[in-house]
Amino acid sequence: MKTLARYSMILGLSVLLIVILACQATNPENLMEGKWKECRWEYERSDLQLSVKQSSETVKAIAGENLMIHKAEQWCFYPNGLLRLHGASYTRDLHWAIKGRGNILELKYGTIIEHYQLSQLTPKKLVLNFETETQMRGIARLTFERI
Amino acid sequence: MLRKYSSSRTHSDNLKLGSLSAFAAGMVNIGSLLLFFSFSSNITGHYAILASEIVKGNYYQIGVVLTWLFLFFLGSFVANLSVIHLSPKNRYWAHALPLLLEIICLLSVGLYGEFLYKETLIETEVLLSIMLFAMGLQNGLTASISNFSVKTTHLTGTTTDLGILFSLFTKKEYRNQKILQEKAVLLLTITSSYMLGALSSGLAYTVLGFRIFHLVSLVLIAIIAYDGSKLYVKQFWRKRNLKNGVPPRNSLITLETKKERSIAS
C-alpha cells in the first residue's frame, strides 16, 4: 500500500509539472499567427573557412532562388493553416504547419514541400533557418518582425 | 521468443526476438522522423534537446520533451510490470501483453494519421507521445525478458558493446569463447535489422505514408503469433494424443529411463 502511494505521488507530481509547464507556455502555432515582415536574409557559407555575411538582397537572390517564398516580402499566417505571401505585385497562398516539438515550419504548395527550422519565435520576432545548396552549400537565415 | 525468461533463453530465442523487434523499431523511428520530424526512440538525443530548451527558456518545448521522456519511461515501466506481476499466472501472455499494447498504439497512430490527421502541432505531439510510449514498451519488454541482452530501440549501447567485443577478439582466448561469439552475432543482427527496418520505412514512406505503422504491427503480430502457435499447437496435440490414448512424449522418455536404470542395476 505504501509503495502504491509513493508511486502514485511521483506520477502525480510528474503530471503536475508537465501541466504547469503547458500552462506557462504559449503554443507556437498561436504565436505564429498574424502578419510578419521580412527584415533580413543572411547567409553563412559552410564551405568557406571564414563565414561570409552578404547583403540581404544578394542573399535572397542566391539562397531563395528556387524557393516558393522567393518573391515574398510579407507573410500572413492564418489559423486554418493558410499562409498568404505578399510581394511587389505578387500573392501566393500556401499551406503551413508546425512539426516536431514546435521547431519545424512546413510549407506546402501543391506537391512542393519545404521545411524551415524555427530558431526563434517571440511575439515580435521570428527567425527561420534553412539549408541551401543553391550555387554554394550553406545555411540561410530569415528574420521577420511582426507588423 | 516470448515464453522463456532471463537465463532460460537460448541464443536462438534472443536472435529471433532481437532481429524482429529491432526491425520494427527501425521502421517506427524513421517513420516518425519522416512524418513528424522527430525521433521516437532517440532518448539520449531528447535529453540533449531538453537541456538546450531549458537553456533557451522555451517552456512549451521543455513541456513537450519532458512528456516524451516520461512516456518512454512509463512504457518501459508498464512492460516490466506486466512481466514480473503476470508471469506467475501465464508467462506467455505476461510477455505478449506489452507487445499487444504496442500494436494498439501503432495501429491507432496509423489509423488516425491516415484518416483524421489535420497536421496541427498538438496532434503531432500526441501521436509522437504515443509512439514514444510504444517504443518504451518494446525496449522494456525485450530488455527485461532477455536479462538486458536485447535492447532494440536505440543502438548506442549496442554499438558500444560491439566496439568492446571486437577489441576483445584481438586476443585469441576471447576470440574462441562461444558466448562472446554469440553475443557479437546477436548485436550485429540487431544493428543490421534496425538498419534494414529504417531503410524499408524510408522507402515505403513515399508510397504508404501512415500505413507503414500497419506494417510494423504485422511484424509485431508475427512475434506474438510465432510463440502462440508453438504453445497452443503443442497443447492441441497433447490433448488429442491423450484422447486417443497415446502417451505423451515425455512419459515415453521416463519409461525408457526407468527401463535403462533397471537393466543397469
Side-chain angles (χ1 to χ4, degrees):
Chain A
M1 215 45 201
K2 245 185 185 177
T3 317
L4 186 70
R6 242 180 244 160
Y7 273 73
S8 310
M9 201 175 78
I10 294 169
L11 180 75
L13 282 174
S14 310
V15 173
L16 187 73
L17 174 72
I18 288 165
V19 169
I20 290 171
L21 277 168
C23 294
Q24 289 283 317
T26 322
N27 186 325
E29 275 177 336
N30 299 341
L31 264 179
M32 200 80 176
E33 286 163 16
K35 279 187 184 178
W36 297 88
K37 196 180 94 182
E38 280 182 11
C39 295
R40 245 184 351 269
W41 279 67
E42 288 163 292
Y43 182 48
E44 288 199 7
R45 292 175 179 179
S46 61
D47 48 357
L48 284 184
Q49 283 204 332
L50 291 167
S51 71
V52 179
K53 300 237 169 162
Q54 298 178 323
S55 79
S56 206
E57 280 306 312
T58 325
V59 173
K60 191 171 180 176
I62 299 171
E65 195 183 2
N66 299 319
L67 299 174
M68 297 187 282
I69 56 167
H70 180 53
K71 291 178 186 171
E73 282 162 13
Q74 254 184 42
W75 298 36
C76 299
F77 290 91
Y78 293 97
N80 54 357
L82 173 73
L83 166 63
R84 189 157 285 160
L85 300 177
H86 296 284
S89 64
Y90 165 86
T91 308
R92 182 183 263 189
D93 286 348
L94 312 176
H95 178 268
W96 70 280
I98 298 184
K99 298 275 174 95
R101 55 181 193 282
N103 61 326
I104 305 283
L105 172 67
E106 184 181 80
L107 300 182
K108 269 188 205 168
Y109 182 72
T111 52
I112 308 166
I113 302 174
E114 285 171 7
H115 295 108
Y116 301 85
Q117 183 87 31
L118 260 170
S119 22
Q120 202 184 335
L121 181 60
T122 63
K124 287 184 177 174
K125 195 179 175 188
L126 164 66
V127 180
L128 297 180
N129 275 55
F130 63 94
E131 273 186 46
T132 169
E133 294 198 10
T134 319
Q135 293 185 42
M136 211 166 278
R137 249 181 88 82
I139 295 169
R141 180 191 293 165
L142 268 122
T143 311
F144 297 83
E145 270 173 17
R146 197 183 282 278
I147 306 174
Chain B
M1 268 190 279
L2 289 176
R3 283 169 300 159
K4 292 174 197 163
Y5 183 67
S6 192
S7 51
S8 65
R9 293 181 69 81
T10 62
H11 173 58
S12 160
D13 289 328
N14 284 342
L15 259 186
K16 282 178 217 155
L17 180 69
S19 55
L20 282 171
S21 52
F23 182 82
M27 281 194 88
V28 173
N29 206 21
I30 296 306
S32 75
L33 178 69
L34 293 171
L35 290 159
F36 304 118
F37 292 87
S38 188
F39 288 110
S40 55
S41 62
N42 182 13
I43 293 303
T44 319
H46 285 321
Y47 275 111
I49 288 167
L50 177 67
S52 94
E53 297 296 0
I54 290 171
V55 170
K56 286 182 200 164
N58 292 338
Y59 293 118
Y60 187 87
Q61 276 83 354
I62 295 169
V64 169
V65 179
L66 264 180
T67 313
W68 289 347
L69 290 171
F70 177 70
L71 282 164
F72 191 89
F73 161 84
L74 193 68
S76 186
F77 177 84
V78 170
N80 200 48
L81 206 67
S82 160
V83 170
I84 59 172
H85 286 278
L86 303 178
S87 277
K89 287 174 190 158
N90 187 323
R91 185 176 285 177
Y92 169 70
W93 283 110
H95 294 182
L97 184 68
L99 282 187
L100 278 174
L101 287 174
E102 189 185 346
I103 292 169
I104 294 170
C105 289
L106 294 178
L107 276 179
S108 32
V109 170
L111 291 169
Y112 188 91
E114 205 179 343
F115 300 110
L116 302 164
Y117 186 48
K118 292 198 175 71
E119 294 193 82
T120 62
L121 188 56
I122 192 79
E123 282 175 308
T124 303
E125 276 147 12
V126 170
L127 293 177
L128 269 166
S129 302
I130 296 171
M131 276 195 283
L132 267 123
F133 177 70
M135 288 294 97
L137 279 170
Q138 181 180 311
N139 214 35
L141 174 78
T142 54
S144 166
I145 64 173
S146 67
N147 203 13
F148 300 96
S149 309
V150 182
K151 284 181 190 166
T152 55
T153 60
H154 49 265
L155 300 179
T156 318
T158 312
T159 313
T160 312
D161 290 355
L162 271 174
I164 293 167
L165 274 173
F166 279 100
S167 75
L168 283 175
F169 288 159
T170 54
K171 279 190 142 189
K172 202 180 175 185
E173 57 193 281
Y174 294 120
R175 202 164 44 233
N176 293 336
Q177 278 187 28
K178 203 185 166 203
I179 194 159
L180 293 182
Q181 288 170 357
E182 283 181 351
K183 176 100 179 152
V185 170
L186 174 67
L187 295 177
L188 281 172
T189 310
I190 289 174
T191 312
S192 44
S193 300
Y194 189 94
M195 274 303 293
L196 198 67
L199 286 171
S200 328
S201 183
L203 292 170
Y205 158 75
T206 44
V207 184
L208 298 174
F210 276 95
R211 273 171 291 171
I212 50 174
F213 296 114
H214 305 348
L215 266 184
V216 183
S217 304
L218 279 180
V219 176
L220 297 173
I221 288 169
I223 298 176
I224 298 176
Y226 176 82
D227 267 36
S229 66
K230 274 195 154 183
L231 190 71
Y232 291 109
V233 167
K234 219 183 230 176
Q235 269 183 7
F236 170 78
W237 282 110
R238 199 175 289 161
K239 273 183 191 168
R240 199 173 154 172
N241 285 344
L242 276 174
K243 226 183 222 178
N244 297 339
V246 181
R249 204 182 286 169
N250 283 354
S251 65
L252 276 177
I253 293 167
T254 328
L255 216 74
E256 290 297 317
T257 323
K258 273 183 188 168
K259 220 186 224 176
E260 277 168 21
R261 271 189 202 147
S262 68
I263 294 165
S265 68

